Structures are given as C-alpha cells and as structure tokens.
C-alpha cells in the first residue's frame, strides 16, 4: 500500500500553525531568531543610506572628518550585523533542534500506542521516512525558512518604504513590478505543494523497498531474484527522480521570474534615475542610495523562491506527520477500569472478528471457555483463524462482535497493564531486538530476577546462550550476533516462559523439529503450563497431549471441544487434521 496521495486543500500556513503545540515552549528562541535576523537585514539596509550621505556630503565637499564619522558608522553597522548573525545561529540550534526532537518523541510514543491494525496497513518505510526526511524538512523550515520568510518580508517592506521616501516615482516603479511576482508566487505554491507531497510519498515507498530487501536478502539471493528486485527498485527510484524533477522544473520557472523581473526593474530604475538626476528631482547621492538599497531588495526577493519551496515542503511534511498523529489509538484503557479480574478463566462469548478492509469475518461467533488452571489446546486448519483468536486475548485487536472475558470481566474493562500483566502472550514470530540476550528476554518487565532468567533459559533449552562470547550480555538481533532459526525460537520461547503470569496464550511455532528436540520443547511447555491457565495453539498430536482439553476451530466457530481422546473418537475432521500434521512430525497418533 502507498500512503494517501491526495492533495490537501488546506493552506500551508494553517497546516504549519498546527506545530504550535511544539514550538510554543521554544517561543522566546523563535522570537529572538526573528528579531536578530530582521535586525541584521535592516542593519544591512541602512548601509546604502550611509553611502548616499557619503556621496552627497564628504565626497562632494572634500570633507575628511565627516567621511571618518560615516565610515565609523558603517563599521558599527557591520559589526552589529555579525553579532546578530551569531546570536541567531545560537537561537536556531536550540529552537529548531528542540522542536524536531519533541515531535520525534511524540510521534514515536503515538505509533507505539496505535493498534496492530494500524501497522498492518501502514508500510513501515512510510513511517521511517516520516521520522527521518520529513522531520529534517521541518527542522530546515523552522530553523531557517520560517525565520527568513519573516525577516525578508520585514526587510522588503522597510526597504520599499525607504525607496518611496527617497524618490516617490521611482519607488512606485519598483512597487508596480512586484505584481507579477505576487501572481507567480500563488501559482507556484499550488503546484509545488502537490509536487512536494508526491516526492515525499515516493521517498517513503523507496524506504519500504530498501527495508524489505535488507530483511529479505537471503530469499532474494537464494531464489536468484537479484535482477528482478533491482528492476523493481530502479523503477521506484526512477519515479522518485521524476517527482523531484517536477519539483525542480516548477521551482525553475518561478526562480527565472524572481531573477528576471528585478533585473529588468534595475534597468528601468537606473535609466529613470539618471533622468531624475538631470531634472534635479534627486541628488546623485540620493540615486546611489536608491540603487544600492534596491539591490538589497533583490536578495530577499530571489530567496523567496526557495523559502516558499521549503515552506511548502514543510507543510506537506507536517500533513504526513499528522496523518499518523491524527489516527486515534483505538485500543485504550477504559474510562472507568474494573477493579481487577476475578480469576483467570477465559471465556469467548459469541466472539466475532473481522480485519479492517476485509470482506468477511474470520471468527463468526466463537464460544469457548477455558477454566481457571486449565490448558486448552486450539487446533484448526491453516488460515482458520487460530493466530487471530489468540491475538484477541491481550487485545492486540479488539473483537468486532461478542465479548471476551477474563475472570468474568470484559477485557475492554481492564487496563491494558492489568490485562497484559495477567496474561502473557508468546507468538510464532521470534522477533529479536538489537539488544543483549538478557534485554531480549526481560524486555523491560519489572520484577524479574536473575534466577527467573536462568530458569526460563533452562526450561526453553536455550543453554547455548552461556557459550556466546559475552554470555547473557552478548548483543543479538539485527545489529548483533546472528543466531540460527532454532536458537532464535528458543530465545523467543524463553522470553515467553519468563515470569509467572496467571494466564498464558501461546501460538506455538509450526516449524518441524526433529523428534528429540520436539520432546524437549514439549517437556519445557509442560512445566510452564502446569501452573497457569493457558490457551495453546497446537499443530501436532504430541503438543495436543499437553492440554487438558482441545478445541477445534473450523469455519470461524468452535466446532468441537473435548479431550483429545473424545475428539479423536467422535470428530472425523479432527482426526484428519492431526493425520495431516503427523506426516510432518510422526509423533504418533494413537498415544
Ligand atoms: N493482518 C491481517 N489483515 C487481514 N487479514 C488477515 C490478517 N492476518 C490474518 N488474516 C487472515 O485471517 C485469516 C486467519 O489467519 P490466522 O489467524 O493467521 O490463521 P491461522 O493462525 O489459523 O493459520 C486468514 O485468512 C488470513 O489471511
Ligand atoms: Mg497461525
């Protein structure tokens, strides 16, 4: 999926105003930046007036002392400008970096709160690009573009007033020449904001591709897919290039306008000025001051081109960031939490579930009770909804119909902390983080001792960690030591069995182990299951045997519940299912 590509009608300014939440605390730095930048530019603007005075006074009258005074004034203005420049850079570092860091923090906290269903449909590269390129675009605007847009506008107005003051008619000529620039600016903003948005979305797509290729590099290489992947990637890179080219083309003609018009006006001003001097309506010094001052106006005008470009990009980056921030976290703590669950029994009460965007329900009225202390195995065909059903217990997704009760309390009436403390969930997917073995096992959970960790490692048969170069402190995961698939799974299992939750949900990996490993893993499971209420997705007869009862999931409903023996004797579908899986792991059907 690509992130939404629509072009928003709201203007750049009102979009950028939404950043007040973060810029507010840094307000005084922004004010300082604007004041120093404006003051520096104004200090520059007064230099031409001094020069004009030099021409009309000391130079005409060969007056040395007057010359020295005016030279000293020019020097002071120059030093003031340098000091103001320094102050602005200091303020910029604090304000822009501060805001960028604050937004990054809030954005991260928000995506952590967003439900799994958001992450299912939002490509990770689109998130990554919001954290990186969009935030730097914003920083560039806040630390630079924003300040100079204001400082340049202030300078433009002041210079125009001074020009009108020096010579009204020549000043009017300059003012009239601004009209095409204003019209051009409007056109430019509309086009550029659309082009910028497209380029940013394509940057996100590209990030997704790079990420997927890096994660899937083994698959790509071993299936000889390199040329194919390269072709796909080059296609995306080419589209991004096209979008960037469009931006530059738009910027190009606007820039030509910004460069060209002032030069034409310069010719008119010089020509008209010479006539005015001849008529005596302006002194020579006055004309020198006028022209030099006018030249000071050219820079703010030309820079307007890319300042507006930066502003449009920043507005579009802001929209992209708010698309995430405006997504409400739907799985939340209740307003009034129930005091606590009463016991660990889990009950599915006519539970229905449908994925967002899906056409049909995956679960169509599941009724199932797991009594306190009982281990329930869940069996069903591939794609029947076993993983989905287990994900409902810790509220990774919320039921779309019916109720799910823990200890007689609807899970939506418990706080997420209460719920996820009471029931731990272990999934098929053995995701390891770039951190030490110990950090990967504990994952920041409170109240877990070294003895607990040692026990979990033993139970999960993950003793290999002791042979790693730094034992439990060895860094693993994406930027650490590579582990084998089996080792990863054992660590994931050690993580799952760590701690003493009252309830457990285990989505057991389907991967085929040799019989020896399998029986070790099963004895590990037996140990942790004995002390809790558990729901265990099982694929093999030998795993099913760990459970007190078995539930068969079929067509989105629980088709049968009973002991393994009972189901084997009375439910043909159950027999068939286990017969299929026993081909993978011949652990024996009729034990
Ligand atoms: N994130 C998702 N979004 C949409 N559909 C999904 C998602 N995850 C799983 N499904 C669909 O829901 C059905 C059940 O999937 P799952 O619970 O993983 O099955 P099982 O674990 O029993 O193999 C499948 O048809 C699958 O395609
Ligand atoms: Mg599954």
């Amino acid at each position: 999926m690509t992130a939404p590509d629509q072009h928003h009608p709201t203007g750049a300014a009102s979009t950028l105003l939404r950043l007040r939440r973060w810029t507010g605390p840094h307000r005084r730095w922004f004010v300082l930046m604007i004041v120093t930048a404006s003051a520096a530019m104004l200090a520059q603007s007064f230099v031409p007036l001094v020069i004009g005075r030099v021409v009309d006074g000391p130079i005409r009258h060969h007056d040395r002392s007057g010359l020295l005074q005016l030279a000293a004034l020019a020097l002071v203005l120059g030093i003031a400008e340098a000091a103001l420049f320094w102050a602005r850079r200091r303020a910029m570092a604090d304000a822009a970096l501060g805001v960028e860091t604050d937004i990054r923090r809030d954005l991260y906290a928000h995506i952590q709160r967003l439900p799994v269903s958001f992450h299912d449909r939002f490509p990770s590269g689109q998130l990554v690009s919001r954290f990186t390129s969009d935030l730097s675009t914003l920083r560039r605007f806040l630390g630079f573009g924003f300040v100079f847009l204001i400082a340049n506008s202030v300078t433009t107005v002041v210079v125009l007033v001074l020009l009108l003051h020096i010579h009204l008619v020549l000043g009017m000529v300059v003012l009239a020449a601004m009209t095409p620039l204003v019209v051009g600016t409007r056109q430019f903003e509309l086009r550029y904001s659309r082009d910028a948005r497209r380029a940013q979305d394509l940057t996100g797509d590209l990030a997704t591709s790079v990420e997927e290729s890096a994660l899937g590099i083994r698959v790509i290489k071993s299936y000889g897919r390199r040329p194919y992947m390269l072709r796909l990637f080059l296609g995306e890179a080419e589209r991004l290039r096209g979008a960037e080219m469009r931006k530059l083309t738009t910027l190009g003609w606007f820039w030509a306008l910004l460069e060209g018009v002032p030069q034409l006006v310069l010719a008119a001003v010089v020509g008209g000025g010479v006539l005015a001097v001849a008529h005596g309506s302006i002194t020579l010094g006055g004309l020198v001051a006028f022209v030099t001052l006018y030249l000071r106006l050219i820079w703010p005008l030309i820079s307007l081109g890319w300042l507006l470009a930066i502003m449009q990009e920043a507005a579009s980056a802001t929209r992209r960031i708010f698309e995430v921030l405006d997504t409400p976290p739907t799985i939340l703590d209740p307003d009034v939490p129930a005091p606590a669950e009463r016991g660990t029994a889990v009950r599915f009460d006519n539970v229905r579930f449908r994925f967002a965007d899906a056409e049909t329900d995956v679960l169509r009225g599941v009724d199932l009770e797991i009594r306190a202390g009982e281990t329930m195995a869940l069996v069903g065909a591939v794609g029947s909804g076993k993983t989905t059903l287990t994900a409902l217990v810790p509220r990774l997704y919320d039921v779309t119909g019916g109720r799910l009760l823990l200890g007689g309390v609807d899970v939506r009436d418990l706080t997420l902390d209460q719920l996820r403390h009471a029931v731990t969930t272990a999934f098929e997917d053995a995701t390891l983080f770039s951190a030490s073995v110990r950090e990967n096992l504990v994952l920041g959970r409170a109240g877990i001792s070294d003895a607990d960790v040692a026990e979990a490692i033993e139970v999960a048969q993950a003793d290999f960690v002791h042979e790693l170069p730094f034992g439990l402190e060895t860094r693993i995961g994406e930027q650490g030591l590579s582990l084998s698939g089996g080792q990863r799974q054992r660590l994931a299992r050690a993580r799952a069995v760590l701690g003493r939750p009252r309830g457990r949900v285990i989505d057991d990996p389907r991967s085929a182990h040799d019989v020896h490993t399998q029986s070790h893993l099963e004895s590990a499971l037996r140990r942790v299951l004995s002390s809790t209420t558990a729901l265990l997705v099982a694929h093999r007869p030998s795993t099913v045997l760990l459970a007190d009862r078995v539930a068969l999931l079929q067509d989105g409903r629980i088709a049968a519940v009973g002991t393994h023996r009972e189901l084997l004797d009375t439910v043909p579908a159950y027999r068939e299912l286990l017969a299929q899986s026993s081909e993978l792991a011949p652990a024996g059907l009729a034990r």
Side-chain angles (χ1 to χ4, degrees):
M1 181 204 107
T2 319
D5 193 12
Q6 74 258 34
H7 182 230
H8 299 250
T10 48
S14 58
T15 303
L16 288 165
L17 267 181
R18 297 193 70 189
L19 299 174
R20 267 174 310 181
R21 196 196 304 177
W22 296 283
T23 52
H26 302 273
R27 187 177 298 126
R28 56 203 170 98
W29 290 114
F30 282 107
V31 170
L32 182 63
M33 274 196 285
I34 290 166
V35 169
T36 52
S38 308
M41 296 197 61
L42 290 176
Q44 275 185 357
S45 310
F46 282 100
V47 172
L49 296 184
V50 176
I51 295 173
R53 292 281 282 280
V54 172
V55 171
D56 279 349
I59 289 185
R60 249 173 86 185
H61 303 118
H62 305 285
D63 166 11
R64 268 181 201 218
S65 65
L67 184 61
L68 275 179
Q69 271 174 23
L70 287 171
L73 182 58
L75 186 68
V76 169
L77 287 176
I79 292 174
E81 195 191 326
L84 290 170
F85 183 83
W86 175 83
R88 183 176 59 75
R89 299 296 298 199
R90 268 297 290 116
M92 178 177 122
D94 186 279
L97 286 175
V99 171
E100 183 190 15
T101 310
D102 292 352
I103 298 179
R104 188 172 276 144
R105 172 200 65 205
D106 292 353
L107 189 59
Y108 189 78
H110 189 76
I111 64 166
Q112 295 279 310
R113 268 199 306 274
L114 285 175
V116 175
S117 57
F118 169 83
H119 294 278
D120 283 346
R121 60 186 173 78
F122 212 89
S124 55
Q126 288 288 357
L127 281 180
V128 171
S129 63
R130 279 160 171 79
F131 274 94
T132 51
S133 65
D134 286 330
L135 275 176
S136 359
T137 301
L138 265 189
R139 183 190 54 215
R140 231 179 9 247
F141 171 71
L142 290 172
F144 185 81
F146 168 62
V147 172
F148 277 96
L149 265 180
I150 295 185
N152 285 1
S153 308
V154 170
T155 310
T156 305
V157 170
V158 170
V159 168
L160 280 174
V161 169
L162 287 175
L163 289 178
L164 286 167
H165 176 73
I166 297 176
H167 196 272
L168 192 61
V169 177
L170 288 179
M172 299 291 270
V173 171
V174 174
L175 203 55
M178 296 275 173
T179 322
L181 296 188
V182 172
V183 175
T185 300
R186 187 81 201 113
Q187 287 298 315
F188 166 77
E189 283 187 324
L190 290 175
R191 293 251 310 252
Y192 197 80
S193 111
R194 186 196 56 210
D195 297 347
R197 171 69 205 221
R198 196 171 143 68
Q200 284 160 342
D201 285 344
L202 288 171
T203 305
D205 287 347
L206 204 69
T208 306
S209 291
V210 172
E211 197 184 81
E212 283 179 355
S213 317
L215 292 176
I217 191 69
R218 283 161 194 276
V219 179
I220 294 171
K221 279 182 185 293
S222 51
Y223 284 84
R225 299 317 277 161
R226 266 189 334 167
Y228 172 75
M229 293 304 286
L230 186 61
R231 244 191 345 270
L232 284 185
F233 181 78
L234 289 182
E236 287 194 352
E238 183 55 38
R239 273 196 294 285
L240 179 58
R241 193 186 78 103
E244 292 287 352
M245 279 301 288
R246 278 249 294 277
K247 267 167 67 178
L248 290 179
T249 311
T250 307
L251 192 55
W253 69 252
F254 185 49
W255 214 318
L257 189 70
L258 290 175
E259 285 265 9
V261 171
Q263 301 300 336
L264 291 176
V265 174
L266 181 62
V269 162
V270 172
V274 171
L275 285 180
V277 171
H279 277 95
S281 69
I282 189 170
T283 62
L284 187 58
L287 181 61
V288 171
F290 191 97
V291 173
T292 339
L293 197 55
Y294 173 73
L295 291 177
R296 296 273 171 177
L297 194 59
I298 293 185
W299 171 244
L301 284 181
I302 291 179
S303 61
L304 193 67
W306 41 272
L307 289 179
L308 288 176
I310 292 177
M311 179 166 121
Q312 292 301 338
E313 279 167 21
S316 160
T318 305
R319 282 182 203 113
R320 280 170 44 92
I321 287 169
F322 271 105
E323 277 162 16
V324 177
L325 286 176
D326 287 342
T327 308
T330 44
I331 296 191
L332 292 168
D333 283 340
D335 294 333
V336 188
E341 73 280 4
R342 296 177 293 274
T344 55
V346 174
R347 191 151 73 85
F348 290 80
D349 182 4
N350 193 24
V351 164
R352 307 183 72 84
F353 182 77
R354 173 182 301 201
F355 284 102
D357 308 334
E359 307 264 291
T360 53
D361 289 354
V362 177
L363 304 178
R364 309 189 182 95
V366 168
D367 286 306
L368 181 65
E369 168 138 31
I370 304 151
R371 301 171 196 137
E374 176 184 45
T375 297
M376 174 75 76
L378 184 66
V379 173
V382 175
S384 58
K386 303 181 295 295
T387 298
T388 308
L389 190 148
T390 54
L392 296 177
V393 181
R395 288 187 74 198
L396 297 187
Y397 300 92
D398 266 342
V399 300
T400 46
R403 294 186 310 161
L404 177 52
L405 307 173
L406 173 68
V409 179
D410 193 313
V411 289
R412 286 166 295 191
D413 291 333
L414 296 168
T415 66
L416 293 172
D417 263 358
Q418 276 175 330
L419 174 64
R420 292 175 187 170
H421 225 83
V423 184
T424 64
T425 319
F427 283 106
E428 279 173 339
D429 134 32
T431 301
L432 296 177
F433 298 93
S434 304
S436 71
V437 172
R438 185 195 302 277
E439 286 163 324
N440 262 290
L441 294 184
V442 177
L443 289 186
R445 284 175 287 180
I448 289 190
S449 69
D450 285 353
D452 292 336
V453 173
E455 191 193 346
I457 289 172
E458 193 208 320
V459 168
Q461 309 270 312
D463 314 280
F464 72 90
V465 298
H466 301 303
E467 261 106 72
L468 295 177
F470 304 100
L472 280 174
E473 306 312 323
T474 311
R475 279 183 71 80
I476 52 171
E478 198 167 348
Q479 275 148 45
L481 200 75
S482 293
L483 299 177
S484 77
Q487 288 173 324
R488 297 174 77 88
Q489 235 151 41
R490 285 173 188 217
L491 277 190
R493 191 174 301 246
R495 172 157 77 201
V497 301
L498 191 56
R500 293 190 176 71
R502 283 160 289 155
R504 288 186 189 279
V505 176
I506 300 177
D507 193 358
D508 191 42
R510 170 184 294 279
S511 58
H513 297 292
D514 57 76
V515 179
H516 179 71
T517 312
Q518 186 61 31
S519 72
H520 270 304
L521 293 179
E522 271 150 16
S523 65
L525 274 179
R526 182 168 286 123
R527 270 174 75 174
V528 301
L529 293 175
S530 64
S531 54
T532 52
T533 309
L535 176 61
L536 168 68
V537 173
H539 304 287
R540 292 178 198 79
S542 54
T543 321
V544 169
L545 287 172
L546 298 171
D548 302 303
R549 290 193 298 159
V550 189
L552 173 64
L553 182 61
Q554 210 175 18
D555 300 325
R557 285 195 192 81
I558 299 298
V561 189
T563 63
H564 173 61
R565 193 74 254 171
E566 283 164 9
L567 294 197
L568 216 49
D569 290 346
T570 59
V571 184
Y574 181 70
R575 228 169 11 239
E576 275 164 35
L577 207 62
L578 288 199
Q580 283 164 17
S581 64
S582 65
E583 290 165 12
L584 283 172
L589 244 185
R591 266 201 272 171

